[in-house]
Structures are given as C-alpha cells and as structure tokens.
Amino acid sequence: MPLPACLRSLIRGLLAATLILSQAAVAAPSTTLGVFAYRDVETVREQFAPAIEAMQRALPRHQVHMQVLSLEALDDALEAGNIDFILTNPRHFLAVRQQYNVSGALATLKAYQGGRSLSLLAGVILAPAEANIETLAELEGRIIGVPGKRFLGGFLTQAYEIHQQGYDPERFADYRELGSHDAVMQALLNGQIDAGFVRSGILEDWLASGRLAPNTLNVIHTHSLHSHTRLPLAHSTRLYPEWALAAMPHVPMEDIRRVSNALLQLDGVVPNGNNSVGFDPPQDYLSVELAARALGVAPFAATPQTLWQQLKSRFGTAIWLPIALAAACILLLALFIGLYIRKSRLFERFTALFYYSPSAKLLLHTDEQGRFVIAESNYAALSLFKAQNTDDLLGKDIIDLSPNTQPNGQSSIARVRELLTKASQQRQRFIWEHKDLQGAPILVEAVLIKFTHNTLLDVLHQKPTFLVALHDITEHENARIKLEEERNALQNILWGTAAGTWEWNVQTGETRFNERWAEMVGYRLDELGPTTIDTWMSFCHPDDLKRSEALLTEHFEGKRDAYDFEARMQHRDGHWIWVQDRGRVITRTEAGEPLWVAGTHTDITARKEAEARANAAMDQTRKHAALLPGMLYQFWHHPDGRSAFPYASVGIQDIYGFTPEEVQENASAVFDVIAPEDVAAVADSISTSATELTTWRQTYRINHPDGQQIWVEGIATPERLDDGSTMWHGYLRDVTDEHTTQLQLEQYRESLERSNKELEHFAYAASHDLRQPLRMVTSYAQLLERHLGGLDEDGEMMLHYMRDGAKRMDDMLLSLLDYSRVGRKGQPMQDMPLKDALDEALHFLTPDIEQANAAIKVTGDWPTVNASPDEMTRLFQNLVSNALKYCSPDSNAVDVTIDSKALTDRQQWQISVTDNGIGIPPDQIERLFKVFQRLHTREQYEGTGVGLAVCRKIVERHGGQIWVESEGEGKGSRFTLTLPMKLTTKGET
C-alpha cells in the first residue's frame, strides 16, 4: 500500500536532516578551551599550552583551540556557544555552573611554582614598605588597585576578609579596576595607588623575574589564622581551591572522560625552569560559594533562573524549532542504535555520577581470601583518605582503613561482616569510623548498597558487589559534641545560679518553664501544665503587671536592650516572694514582630528584705544624724571641677545655711559663704587630700547667711571612685565657742609664760645678787674672828653658826640658780644618743662611785632622742648621785641599775634608775620633787632639796614624766622617767 504524500514528505525531511547531521559529523570537529586572562594574553597562553597539548592527545580527531579571554569576553563566548571547556577562577566557575547547568568541576588546577605543586590559591594585600601599613583597618578609605571586581584572588578573597572584620567591602576603600594583576603591581611601583589586591604567586613571579626588588612591598595579613603550611606563597586571606576545569552541557560524555583523564595524568614537568601546570581531582568549592553568598555576588546576587527560563528568555518562541528537530533526531537515532545507546548512556551516567560525585564513593568486592577490598574509588574518596591517586586505595581491605573498634564498641571486623552479610539492594545507613592513609580518624555516615548481577556490572572488568557512599561528618560530630558540652555547661551554670528559665511565644502565648521556676512558687513543673503566659500572670502581683507590660512594650519597640523587672509572685503557701525577671527577644516574625522571648527568674527575696532593713536603718540613721550637733555628709568632687553633696544631714542648715536638697547636685553655693581669707586654705587642703588620699582636716570661718560668722571644724575620709572622682565621707561641727575659749586659753598661756619668764628671771637675779651680801657676811665673820682674837666657847659657837648659815644660804642660792637655768642656759634641743649623756654623767661621778664602792649596771636598748645634751647629763648625774648618797649605812656595797626600754604602744622610751639604798616612806613620796623639800636633816645627808626638782623640770621640758617607787624604808628606790620616741625618716622608731 503506497504511503500518503504528506507522510512521504515528512520522511524525506527527516532523511535530509539526518544526512546533513551525518555530513557535519564527518568533518573534523573543533573543541575550544576558554581560559580566563588573569594576566596578559601571551603569559596565560604560554602557561596553559601543556593543557592544550594534553587535550589534543586525548581528542586526536578534534582540533583543540585555546581562547584567552577576559571574564566579560568569556561570558559572551559562552552565551554564543563558542566554548566547550572552560578553565576559570572558582567564583566565575560557580556563576557559569549556575547559569548553564554545568554538573560540576572535572578537575582542579594544580599550578607549579618554585618547584612545588599548588592546588590552592589565596588573595594577597600589598602596600609600599615605606607606607608602614600593617593592618587591614589602616587601609580604610584609601585608594586600592584591583585587577577587577570579578577576580577571585584579585578582589573576592580580600573583600571577604574585609566583610569578616565587620566592614562593608564596597564602601571600605576607593577601588581602581586596572584590568590585570600585573597592572596592579606596576601601579604600586609607580606610586599611583596606596595598596593593591593580587592573587597568590604574582609577588613571587615579579621577584623571580627581577621586576621587583626585595622588601619593596609589604604583605598585610588580615589575621594570624591565615598562615598555612599548605601554601608556601605569600598570602593575606583564607585559602581557596585553585581554578576549576568544567565542560559545557553540550560536550559528549566520552569527550569529557577522555579530557579529564588526560589532564589528571598531566605530570606538570617544569621545562627549562618555566612554570607549568597540572590537575588534581576536583576539590570542594564550598568555601568559594560561602564567600560569594556572603558578599552577594554572582551567581548569588539575584534569584537564579531555571534552564528553561534562560533558554526561553534567549531564543523566545524560536526555541521550539530546535526542540522539534532534536526530538526528530532522537527518534531517528533510537530506531538505528536501540539498546546499545541505552546501555552506553547508562554506563556514562553511572561513571559521571560515580567519579565526579562530590561525596566519597567506593566499589567493594570479595577477593580470593574472602576479604572485602576496594575495587574502585572516586575522586572525592581520594581526597577523604588523603590518597595521591587511585592506586593508593585499590586492593586495600576496608579493615585496613578502619580502627580496631567502632564508636559503638563493636570490633571493626565483626561489624563489617555483619553489615555486608545483611546487605541487600535496600540501603543500609550507619555511622562508621575510618582512618586515612596518614592514620588520622575520620567519622563518616555510610550508605551501603549491594548490587546483583546485571548488565551494568558486566561492562566493568572487575565484579564489584557493594557500593558504599561516605559522607564526612567529622566536623559535624565535633561541633555536636562541643554543642553538647556547651549545653551541659549552661545547664550546670543555671543549676549553680539557682535561676528559673522561661521561653514565651508572644504570638501564641505558649510558655515553657524549667523545674526551678516552678519551685520558686512552691510547685512541681508537672503540676502547672499546660503552661502559658497566663500561668505567669496568675502568680504575679496585680500591682506589678502594668509596669511589666510597659517595660515589655519598650523592649519590643527597641527602646530597651532587654526586659528587666523586679516583681512579686505569690508562693503556694500564700506569702509573696520577689524575683528579678530578665529576658530579651531572640526571634522575630518576617513582619518584624517579636516571636520568641527568653529569660530567667532569680529569687531576690533575701536581697529585698535586706534592702528593706537597710532602708529602715538609713531612716533611723537620718533621724540620729538630725539630732547630732553639726552635719554628717558626703562630698563628691568630679575631675572636671564639679562638686556636690550627695548626702547631707539637716545640720547643714546650721553650718552653711542651705538645705540638703539645695546642694545635692551643685555645691558651689557652699564655697561662696566661706570666709574669703580661708577659701584658698580650704581648697588647698581638699586638693591635697584628693591627690594623696589622706584624711582631710580643716578649721575655717563661714559667713553664715543669717549675718553671723562662725568657726567650723571638719574631718573626712576620701575614697577614689572608678570614674576618677573623689568622694569624702565626713563630719562638720560648729566650734565657735571652743575657738573663743581656745583664744582665751592662748591669751592666758601667753600671760602665764610671760609671768614664768619674769619669775625665772627674778629667781636667777635674786639668787645671783644675794650671793654678794652673803660673801660679805662670810668675809667679815672671818675678819671679826681675827680681830677679836681668842674668843670664849660661846663666841666661837656664834661665829660658827654665822659662817654655817651663810654657807647653807649660798648653797641654796646656787641650787636655785641651777633650777632657774633649766631651759634657759642649756644647749639647744638636738638629735642625740641618750647613752652618751649617761656615760658623761658617770664619768663626772667616777670619784663618788669609787668612794661608795658602787656597782653601776647599764642594761637595755638606748635610743636616739631629741633633747638638750647638757640637761640630759645633769638629769642622770642628779639621779645617780642621789642613789650613791642615800645608801644604807649597813650595806658594804651600793648597787645601781640603769635600764632603758621601749614602750611601743605609747611611743615612749622608759628609763629607770634602781638602787638598794635607804628607801622612801610611801607617805613622803609626794614631797620629793618639790623645791627645797628634804626628808632628812643636814646632819644625816647633805643637800638643798633642789636636785630632784631640777630632774622633774628637765623631764617635763622634754615632754616626759618622772616618778619614784619604793616599798618603804630600807628597801631601795626606783626613779622612772619617760621620753617621747623620735620618728626616723622611714617611719620606724
């Protein structure tokens, strides 16, 4: 049966199209590699020439070309469909993958520099050495040269560091786009920019080529974490994987496989010392994606379009024509090749999914010894186990890559056999701990699938039985453990602080409390469920709810950083407790309304009770202060000169004439009523006390507002506050009456001193002038005796009494003269060793000591005092002389002990002279230190009765005291005196 005409026309069209396609296939196809021109074209072309040669060997029937283009030109070429493979920086690769639905990177560039292979890159921030720029913050607002804002190593990496340090990268500096890394280096050397961004390796290239002298440019490190032994080149930023090699979607899978294998086998030999390249299995470009997302750059700057949207926006309705042609071609090819094409595509798809999957995958089979060994591994598995190539893993027993035991405590051998025995075509998901080839532990989430015998496995040379997909969760598990530790620590802290916690959903009213919250009000948490915000309101005091609502509203509106309120809550027993309720908004709705609020309850009942007691005590103190004469006060002086009385008792009105409220904020009015002649002294004393933090003491006059002038006396203790100000706590009182009395006493003292001086002068004059008549009486008595010749017994007796009386009168006048000289004729007061005065006195008394056969014993520590040397000598001479004179007639030896000791608690030296003499009746002790008072007759002991009076006058003149102790007649005596201690320059006695 003949075919209809329309059907014959359709078949002819399909055959013509097939013929055209087959003729096009006969011609030598062209394959183009597009390379990003990050430097000048010739340099880039020379650098990647080995890659083109490797691709040509992989595709011998193709004409392989390289186009070195800027990023903009690359985008245009991709849009025009002129690029088959692309080698570009990671950021651009992500944009291309997003726009053209590229499945992933085939390989990662491995550059060779300085004899090392580098599969990582970083950004470098350079500045002239003479600029002395050391930190990233010093570049803010400066002119920075960049090759272009679409360059990863030339802008994105540095911009991400700027973003991480809290700056807006776009507003951080004045960027100048110069087109290439070399242009940035040249601009730095010409002084046209303050700093420059380039990728790692550029600096070393310029140094090696001699275009840059050493130490001309400084590398600015953003922080110490950027130092990394994996990248021996100078760098300023985090490390990122090198350029990605990708194939466009229209490239056949066979061509992709051949090119990727050829490039991965490129050994990167360095010919003639020039740089060369190689390729590693594709690395994880998540770090680049995170940086791009953070900065909002392509492909994450806007919502991406689907492939259909991109095609439709580009071709419009014309897209249906190639679709129809493609459908016809597919249908025709399906009629010719059938099952073979299906198998081929299935295998290619499996290969692509397996080898280029971002997760690690292994194919396992059983060897002759029954071990489960690795038959195949993808590139991600090489990276996971830190293998250089597949040969490092192939044939290894899975047990060799595992520790002896697994996290659940089961041995690895037993666990492997258990899992593989139970394996089927259904997935098994479990956690497994591996170790890489360097022995480091790896925790993975594994998925195990068992393959049955099928056509796909027949294609493979080996016969793997199991497919294992490994997802590295080491970091995730470490983070989980750390989070768990932090959660436990937080729970322990909350337990230690005895704080109740709450969470409140503002929109629904749902509220969550912990057990401690319920305990505060006397309940168990399960007794309160279900809990809502009404639960809290039911316990809160009604008078506190309105204030709480107002504070919450202010916090929700952003007027307060947090909600902080002290409220009363009713306990189960009926009494009220105080809690401090603190919280803040933790999440908001899309409209900006508060969603969840979280906070704590702290029982502050004890503090509130203490505050109440303190307030009561303060009120009582104020009442007591009001009864005190004068005023209690706090005086606050700020560094800027301001002063105030934060607290003053009501007595301030009696002192200054102001109420406490009038000077609470400003004390300047107080200084206005101080007598002008005393203001400077008061100000100086305050300044000295503030500087040295010493007690402030001052007496001054105040011109009271009521018209009278009063004298006040103040004392205060300073305290330095955290803000540098000084607070005095003190007391002021009215001393006008005391001052008047003191003036009267001063006048009386001065009058008394004048009288004493006149009396001393009179005594000196009288004793001095009376001696002349006495000498005349004595002389004329002698002349009379010679003139009268021999006298009878009565005449001789009368002349004897006359001469003896005159002699005694002369002795008394000499003693009185000595008494009057104390303090007037002696040496001036000076620092002197007291022992020197004693030694001199004993030297003068040597004949009397020998005559009395006396034993003198000196003990104790002898000090240095401030005294008159000759008066101290006279003091010891009189005391020791008395001990020698008044010795017991029944004793053959005289013992005198002279001792000195320190009375530290009274800041005095105590000196005692002890003898074994005749002693003193207790009822006669009071007479000893009076002038001309004697306890014995002249026949018994000679003397005038002035010596001890002179001793008392000397001791009192030096600020001390003297007294005598005796148990009675025949029991000896002890004369004791005190002298004030002298302070040394070190403040020690």
Side-chain angles (χ1 to χ4, degrees):
M1 182 177 180
L3 294 174
C6 60
L7 184 57
R8 288 198 300 271
S9 299
L10 177 60
I11 293 175
R12 291 192 194 99
L14 290 176
L15 291 175
T18 303
L19 180 60
I20 294 172
L21 291 175
S22 61
Q23 289 176 349
V26 173
S30 175
T31 298
T32 301
L33 171 65
V35 181
F36 165 37
Y38 76 107
R39 301 181 70 174
D40 64 89
V41 174
E42 291 305 320
T43 300
V44 176
R45 186 178 297 278
E46 180 181 355
Q47 179 181 358
F48 293 106
I52 293 298
E53 295 173 0
M55 291 178 62
Q56 186 64 69
R57 289 193 298 271
L59 303 173
R61 297 181 179 180
H62 291 234
Q63 292 182 357
V64 181
H65 306 283
M66 175 175 25
Q67 290 190 16
V68 180
L69 303 172
S70 66
L71 293 177
E72 291 76 9
L74 266 176
D75 289 339
D76 293 340
L78 288 169
E79 186 175 358
N82 298 331
I83 300 297
D84 301 301
F85 293 88
I86 184 171
L87 180 60
T88 184
N89 69 45
R91 189 210 65 78
H92 187 228
F93 160 69
L94 294 177
V96 172
R97 184 181 67 181
Q98 182 76 10
Q99 182 176 357
Y100 295 99
N101 198 25
V102 175
S103 61
L106 302 178
T108 295
L109 177 65
K110 178 170 61 176
Y112 288 82
Q113 189 163 19
R116 300 186 182 185
S117 63
L118 306 174
S119 59
L120 296 172
L121 65 85
V124 185
I125 304 175
L126 299 173
E130 64 271 12
N132 292 323
I133 298 175
E134 298 181 356
T135 63
L136 185 62
E138 296 177 58
L139 293 178
E140 185 176 8
R142 295 177 179 262
I143 299 175
I144 300 178
V146 300
K149 290 191 176 181
R150 298 181 64 186
F151 284 60
L152 174 65
F155 182 77
L156 180 63
T157 57
Q158 295 89 340
Y160 187 51
E161 296 300 328
I162 294 171
H163 170 76
Q164 289 295 319
Q165 295 198 16
Y167 298 100
D168 181 356
E170 288 296 329
R171 300 181 180 179
F172 180 73
D174 181 7
Y175 300 108
R176 303 289 173 83
E177 296 191 55
L178 304 179
S180 68
H181 295 280
D182 293 326
V184 173
M185 295 293 291
Q186 192 61 50
L188 276 171
L189 295 183
N190 295 341
Q192 298 170 340
I193 53 178
D194 297 325
F197 292 172
V198 296
R199 64 161 279 161
S200 54
I202 301 298
L203 176 65
E204 287 76 8
D205 283 350
W206 276 63
L207 289 170
S209 65
R211 290 181 288 175
L212 177 68
N215 301 324
T216 303
L217 300 177
N218 281 347
V219 177
I220 299 173
H221 299 280
T222 56
H223 50 75
S224 61
L225 292 178
H226 295 151
S227 297
H228 203 296
T229 57
R230 295 173 60 191
L231 188 65
L233 305 178
H235 57 287
S236 305
T237 70
R238 293 167 172 80
L239 304 183
Y240 299 87
E242 264 284 6
W243 288 13
L245 175 72
M248 301 308 294
H250 65 269
V251 180
M253 183 60 67
E254 180 64 21
D255 291 351
I256 293 175
R257 187 182 64 79
R258 290 176 178 274
V259 169
S260 61
N261 287 339
L263 293 180
L264 289 174
Q265 294 175 7
L266 195 63
D267 55 11
V269 176
V270 183
N272 302 324
N274 295 326
N275 293 341
S276 186
V277 294
F279 290 88
D280 277 342
Q283 295 193 19
D284 185 2
Y285 288 90
L286 178 60
S287 60
V288 183
E289 180 177 336
L290 292 176
R293 287 184 182 276
L295 297 177
V297 300
F300 308 107
T303 303
Q305 293 182 323
T306 64
L307 178 60
W308 173 249
Q309 290 173 329
Q310 296 174 27
L311 294 174
K312 189 173 181 181
S313 63
R314 180 176 179 184
F315 298 105
T317 57
I319 189 64
W320 294 105
L321 179 60
I323 291 176
L325 291 175
C329 291
I330 292 173
L331 180 60
L332 188 61
L333 291 175
L335 295 175
F336 283 112
I337 61 177
L339 184 60
Y340 174 77
I341 297 299
R342 183 181 177 185
K343 290 183 179 180
S344 177
R345 288 187 178 276
L346 181 61
F347 178 73
E348 291 174 356
R349 188 172 301 165
F350 174 81
T351 302
L353 289 175
F354 179 78
Y355 287 102
Y356 302 111
S357 173
S359 63
K361 289 182 173 59
L362 300 174
L363 289 176
L364 307 179
H365 74 94
T366 307
D367 65 1
E368 292 77 4
Q369 288 80 29
R371 301 180 308 159
F372 292 95
V373 298
I374 298 173
E376 289 290 339
S377 67
N378 68 350
Y379 300 128
L382 299 181
S383 177
L384 178 67
F385 289 100
K386 295 184 175 56
Q388 296 295 325
N389 51 58
T390 56
D391 293 338
D392 294 338
L393 292 179
L394 297 184
K396 281 192 174 294
D397 188 346
I398 200 69
I399 298 300
D400 296 338
L401 298 175
S402 305
N404 293 332
T405 57
Q406 288 303 305
N408 63 356
Q410 189 176 8
S411 71
S412 296
I413 296 176
R415 181 65 171 154
V416 164
R417 297 194 179 278
E418 175 185 336
L419 290 170
L420 295 179
T421 300
K422 295 180 179 179
S424 65
Q425 290 184 339
Q426 299 297 322
R427 297 181 183 179
Q428 288 191 88
R429 189 181 298 271
F430 53 90
I431 302 299
W432 189 268
E433 183 177 352
H434 277 294
K435 58 182 179 180
D436 61 24
L437 296 182
Q438 298 176 5
I442 310 169
L443 193 65
V444 298
E445 182 181 33
V447 177
L448 178 65
I449 300 175
K450 181 180 180 181
F451 285 126
T452 59
H453 185 74
N454 57 33
T455 307
L456 175 63
L457 294 180
D458 286 340
V459 179
L460 300 175
H461 296 293
Q462 297 177 346
K463 300 289 185 180
T465 307
F466 301 96
L467 172 65
V468 182
L470 305 176
H471 176 58
D472 188 354
I473 61 170
T474 305
E475 294 185 2
H476 174 77
E477 184 65 15
N478 292 337
R480 187 193 65 78
I481 294 173
K482 184 177 180 181
L483 183 61
E484 186 67 24
E485 292 174 349
E486 292 177 353
R487 183 182 293 110
N488 292 336
L490 180 59
Q491 291 177 349
N492 292 334
I493 292 172
L494 288 173
W495 179 86
T497 58
T501 63
W502 53 268
E503 297 173 277
W504 171 34
N505 188 316
V506 181
Q507 304 302 319
T508 65
E510 177 189 356
T511 309
R512 307 166 188 162
F513 304 112
N514 70 346
E515 193 67 42
R516 175 56 185 152
W517 191 97
E519 290 175 359
M520 289 184 184
V521 289
Y523 291 87
R524 297 192 312 274
L525 187 60
D526 57 7
E527 294 179 309
L528 299 178
T531 55
T532 66
I533 190 62
D534 294 333
T535 305
W536 178 82
M537 296 178 66
S538 66
F539 287 104
C540 186
H541 196 287
D543 296 343
D544 296 338
L545 289 175
K546 188 173 182 180
R547 176 60 178 161
S548 173
E549 183 179 356
L551 291 175
L552 275 172
T553 301
E554 292 179 4
H555 174 51
F556 292 165
E557 294 174 352
K559 298 177 181 178
R560 291 179 177 270
D561 291 337
Y563 164 75
D564 193 339
F565 182 55
E566 295 179 355
R568 289 162 289 180
M569 298 184 68
Q570 190 169 30
H571 194 272
R572 188 174 195 170
D573 297 338
H575 65 275
W576 293 93
I577 65 170
W578 280 93
V579 297
Q580 184 172 23
D581 192 358
R582 303 187 65 194
R584 69 190 312 168
V585 176
I586 56 176
T587 59
R588 291 182 178 268
T589 64
E590 294 182 357
E593 296 295 326
L595 182 58
W596 280 98
V597 184
T600 61
H601 267 190
T602 305
D603 190 339
I604 59 170
T605 306
R607 174 167 70 80
K608 280 294 186 178
E609 293 174 349
E611 288 177 356
R613 292 193 297 270
N615 291 333
M618 180 59 71
D619 291 340
Q620 189 66 32
T621 301
R622 289 193 180 97
K623 294 177 182 178
H624 291 164
L627 300 176
L628 288 175
M631 59 176 280
L632 294 172
Y633 68 92
Q634 287 180 317
F635 177 66
W636 193 0
H637 187 268
H638 297 271
D640 60 4
R642 293 181 293 113
S643 60
F645 284 91
Y647 168 77
S649 63
V650 294
I652 192 173
Q653 292 181 280
D654 299 328
I655 299 296
Y656 290 113
F658 301 104
T659 64
E661 292 75 18
E662 290 176 320
V663 295
Q664 191 170 18
E665 299 295 335
N666 188 352
S668 59
V670 166
F671 290 89
D672 294 338
V673 299
I674 297 177
E677 54 269 30
D678 293 341
V679 171
V682 173
D684 290 343
S685 64
I686 293 174
S687 177
T688 301
S689 177
T691 302
E692 301 177 0
L693 290 181
T694 54
T695 302
W696 175 80
R697 288 186 176 88
Q698 190 69 20
T699 303
Y700 54 96
R701 289 162 287 183
I702 293 175
N703 295 325
H704 201 277
D706 64 4
Q708 64 173 330
Q709 186 180 73
I710 63 174
W711 282 87
V712 296
E713 179 183 68
I715 183 171
T717 301
E719 175 188 3
R720 184 83 73 224
L721 303 184
D722 294 339
D723 61 356
S725 60
T726 306
M727 179 81 77
W728 281 268
H729 310 272
Y731 174 66
L732 273 176
R733 66 189 184 98
D734 186 344
V735 294
T736 305
D737 293 340
E738 296 178 17
H739 188 73
T740 302
T741 302
Q742 185 65 28
L743 288 177
Q744 293 174 351
L745 289 175
E746 286 293 327
Q747 294 173 355
Y748 177 73
R749 183 183 61 78
E750 291 175 359
S751 175
L752 187 61
E753 286 181 352
R754 287 195 300 271
S755 177
N756 286 338
K757 289 181 180 179
E758 291 173 356
L759 288 174
E760 289 178 358
H761 181 71
F762 172 76
Y764 177 78
S767 59
H768 183 273
D769 295 342
L770 286 176
R771 292 189 67 200
Q772 180 62 26
L774 284 175
R775 284 194 295 269
M776 292 180 62
V777 171
T778 302
S779 299
Y780 279 102
Q782 293 174 352
L783 292 175
L784 181 61
E785 184 179 11
R786 287 197 299 268
H787 179 71
L788 295 178
L791 297 176
D792 56 13
E793 184 176 351
D794 293 336
E796 287 289 342
M797 184 177 296
M798 292 178 186
L799 286 175
H800 172 72
Y801 284 143
M802 181 185 297
R803 288 193 300 271
D804 185 62
K807 183 177 182 303
R808 284 192 291 119
M809 177 64 75
D810 188 57
D811 291 341
M812 292 176 67
L813 290 175
L814 284 173
S815 297
L816 183 62
L817 187 62
D818 286 342
Y819 185 80
S820 65
R821 284 175 174 171
V822 174
R824 295 176 67 249
K825 297 295 184 179
Q827 292 176 301
M829 304 284 279
Q830 56 187 277
D831 292 344
M832 58 162 290
L834 190 59
K835 183 69 163 49
D836 292 351
L838 174 63
D839 292 341
E840 187 171 359
L842 294 178
H843 176 72
F844 290 152
L845 294 172
T846 299
D848 297 335
I849 294 172
E850 293 176 351
Q851 182 178 353
N853 192 25
I856 307 298
K857 183 178 180 182
V858 180
T859 62
D861 297 327
W862 288 78
T864 296
V865 297
N866 187 265
S868 171
D870 56 353
E871 290 184 357
M872 287 293 105
T873 300
R874 187 183 307 171
L875 171 66
F876 286 121
Q877 191 170 349
N878 287 354
L879 292 175
V880 176
S881 177
N882 273 2
L884 297 175
K885 181 192 299 184
Y886 295 101
C887 60
S888 175
D890 300 331
S891 177
N892 296 327
V894 177
D895 294 329
V896 180
T897 301
I898 308 170
D899 179 65
S900 171
K901 65 179 180 180
L903 303 179
T904 307
D905 56 336
R906 293 189 290 177
Q907 293 294 297
Q908 291 179 331
W909 290 102
Q910 179 175 292
I911 297 94
S912 61
V913 179
T914 306
D915 60 56
N916 61 344
I918 61 175
I920 304 169
D923 59 343
Q924 298 296 320
I925 287 178
E926 293 296 327
R927 299 177 54 200
L928 281 181
F929 296 101
K930 297 180 180 180
V931 180
F932 299 134
Q933 294 294 316
R934 292 175 47 81
L935 303 184
H936 304 88
T937 64
R938 294 182 66 254
E939 288 74 14
Q940 292 176 304
Y941 297 99
E942 294 184 356
T944 61
V946 179
L948 290 178
V950 170
C951 291
R952 185 185 67 179
K953 188 173 183 180
I954 291 173
V955 171
E956 291 179 350
R957 177 175 178 265
H958 286 77
Q961 293 179 317
I962 187 169
W963 66 91
V964 62
E965 299 171 309
S966 177
E967 296 181 2
E969 295 186 19
K971 296 185 179 180
S973 305
R974 174 182 292 165
F975 286 85
T976 305
L977 61 97
T978 61
L979 293 173
M981 285 186 175
K982 171 186 175 294
L983 294 178
T984 67
T985 56
K986 295 182 179 179
E988 300 175 351
T989 56

